[in-house]
Amino acid sequence: MLKLRTLNYSARRAHVLRRWFSETGSGSRLTRPASGTIPQPPEPINLALPSSAEPFIKYSDAFVDRGYTKSDIFLHPDFISDDEHDLLVRSCNKKLKRLANTYEMGHFDKRINNYRECSVSAWLPHKRGVAGRVSQAMDRAVDPDPVDLPDRASNGKSAGWTTVGKYDGQIRHILDRVWDLFPASFTWLPPHILDLHEDGEILPHVDNPEYSGFVVGGLCLLGPAVSTFKHVDDPSVRVDVLLSPKSLYFMTNRIRYQFTHEITVDPSQRAWMGQPVARARRISLMFRDAKEPEGGWSSLVSAAIPSF
């Protein structure tokens, strides 16, 4: 019987969640973001900013003058409909109530306050996740996903898929539109729910490049917020983004690896076009691609070990 030592991201969730964030100070014990050549995916990421994003993004003069790529921060306002937004909020609330019922005042690396979080493996199709890549590396068929089949019989009763939530199929169809923006070769971690209390804040940090891949993004739910991105070596090189409900954003390339991002409670930074942005609870449904092992996905498969 083959023993798989896949990095079971669902089972190791508690371990991995503590490592999403990377401090950028010289005394940090976590990996400092790349300052020179940045990692590149096997296939190019082609995210084109829609014209509707322009009123929601402000680039500093230094960002423009030094030739940084505007599309490294991708924003798509109104990516989902009102009904899809409300479905995701209800479903996230149910997951949080079961898996992360209380807000935490401090994070493992002191980069986020007054938050709660959890991952939802049921919303990631096998074919898009690590398990699917390992199956392909073993020349095995990818396990079928119950959610890809009707989860309700014609009479409205359960079709027998007891591990599938009532609306998980609908949610996967929504999230498929996110994953379809990227090359099919991308491998994804389970979606991650980050619930920030109205008094919560995210301090400047770079998501740890050792624990996920080339892109980090999120679907914005509930309240709006202003997120600020600053170059790790020169904070005058910055981008400010108004994250409104129903919008989708992604950090790629230099924004992903060389810029910190934050959501502050400082009133001076919680304004847009001269108008204050009210503090409110917000949920981000986060997306990260998995970092492929140096030996490829096949390296996650151990030698055959007889079972007794």
Side-chain angles (χ1 to χ4, degrees), residues 141-159:
V142 179
D143 290 339
D145 284 304
V147 152
D148 290 339
L149 303 173
D151 56 9
R152 309 297 287 180
S154 58
N155 60 5
K157 296 183 179 180
S158 170

Side-chain angles (χ1 to χ4, degrees), residues 65-86:
D65 293 343
R66 297 179 193 180
Y68 285 92
T69 305
K70 291 184 177 181
S71 60
D72 283 358
I73 179 72
F74 171 81
L75 180 70
H76 192 307
D78 293 321
F79 185 80
I80 56 176
S81 68
D82 290 337
D83 288 344
E84 290 170 334
H85 171 275
D86 294 346

Side-chain angles (χ1 to χ4, degrees), residues 24-273:
T24 59
S26 59
S28 172
R29 59 186 178 74
L30 296 179
T31 304
R32 182 178 174 81
S35 59
T37 302
I38 61 172
Q40 293 293 331
E43 298 181 64
I45 301 169
N46 297 312
L47 294 177
L49 276 172
S51 58
S52 59
E54 292 182 7
F56 298 90
I57 305 179
K58 294 187 295 186
Y59 307 96
S60 71
D61 291 340
F63 184 96
V64 176
D65 293 343
R66 297 179 193 180
Y68 285 92
T69 305
K70 291 184 177 181
S71 60
D72 283 358
I73 179 72
F74 171 81
L75 180 70
H76 192 307
D78 293 321
F79 185 80
I80 56 176
S81 68
D82 290 337
D83 288 344
E84 290 170 334
H85 171 275
D86 294 346
L87 171 62
L88 287 170
V89 169
R90 291 195 302 271
S91 299
C92 286
N93 280 334
K94 289 181 180 179
K95 299 292 185 183
L96 289 164
K97 183 177 181 181
R98 183 167 62 89
L99 299 173
N101 195 35
T102 59
Y103 287 92
E104 301 287 340
M105 295 308 299
H107 193 270
F108 172 74
D109 54 19
K110 303 178 182 178
R111 291 301 175 190
I112 182 169
N113 301 314
N114 221 340
Y115 74 101
R116 53 183 179 163
E117 61 184 346
C118 65
S119 288
V120 188
S121 57
W123 293 350
L124 179 69
H126 295 162
K127 61 187 177 184
R128 294 191 186 270
V130 173
R133 292 290 180 252
V134 171
S135 295
Q136 292 171 358
M138 298 172 64
D139 293 324
R140 292 185 176 181
V142 179
D143 290 339
D145 284 304
V147 152
D148 290 339
L149 303 173
D151 56 9
R152 309 297 287 180
S154 58
N155 60 5
K157 296 183 179 180
S158 170
W161 303 109
T162 57
T163 61
V164 177
K166 181 178 179 180
Y167 299 106
D168 284 352
Q170 294 180 46
I171 291 172
R172 281 201 188 180
H173 288 302
I174 297 171
L175 304 191
D176 271 337
R177 303 207 310 265
V178 176
W179 293 312
D180 283 343
L181 294 172
F182 295 87
S185 60
F186 268 49
T187 303
W188 295 93
L189 300 174
H192 175 72
I193 302 171
L194 177 61
D195 179 356
L196 193 65
H197 190 275
E198 67 176 75
D199 295 322
E201 63 178 338
I202 299 174
L203 301 176
H205 70 278
V206 176
D207 281 38
N208 196 329
E210 293 301 311
Y211 289 89
S212 62
F214 302 104
V215 300
V216 179
L219 266 174
C220 303
L221 309 173
L222 296 177
V226 176
S227 185
T228 300
F229 303 81
K230 298 178 183 177
H231 195 280
V232 294
D233 295 323
D234 185 354
S236 71
V237 180
R238 65 182 282 172
V239 184
D240 294 286
V241 181
L242 178 61
L243 299 175
S244 56
K246 302 187 293 181
S247 63
L248 174 72
Y249 73 94
F250 267 98
M251 298 173 275
T252 67
N253 298 312
R254 296 197 181 280
I255 294 287
R256 157 71 175 102
Y257 290 102
Q258 296 180 350
F259 283 65
T260 62
H261 58 279
E262 62 186 290
I263 294 178
T264 180
V265 294
D266 182 352
S268 66
Q269 293 189 55
R270 292 190 61 89
W272 198 259
M273 304 297 290

Side-chain angles (χ1 to χ4, degrees), residues 284-304:
S284 291
L285 184 55
M286 305 294 296
F287 303 92
R288 298 176 176 88
D289 63 309
K291 185 174 182 179
E292 185 172 357
E294 291 184 4
W297 297 115
S298 60
S299 66
L300 298 181
V301 184
S302 66

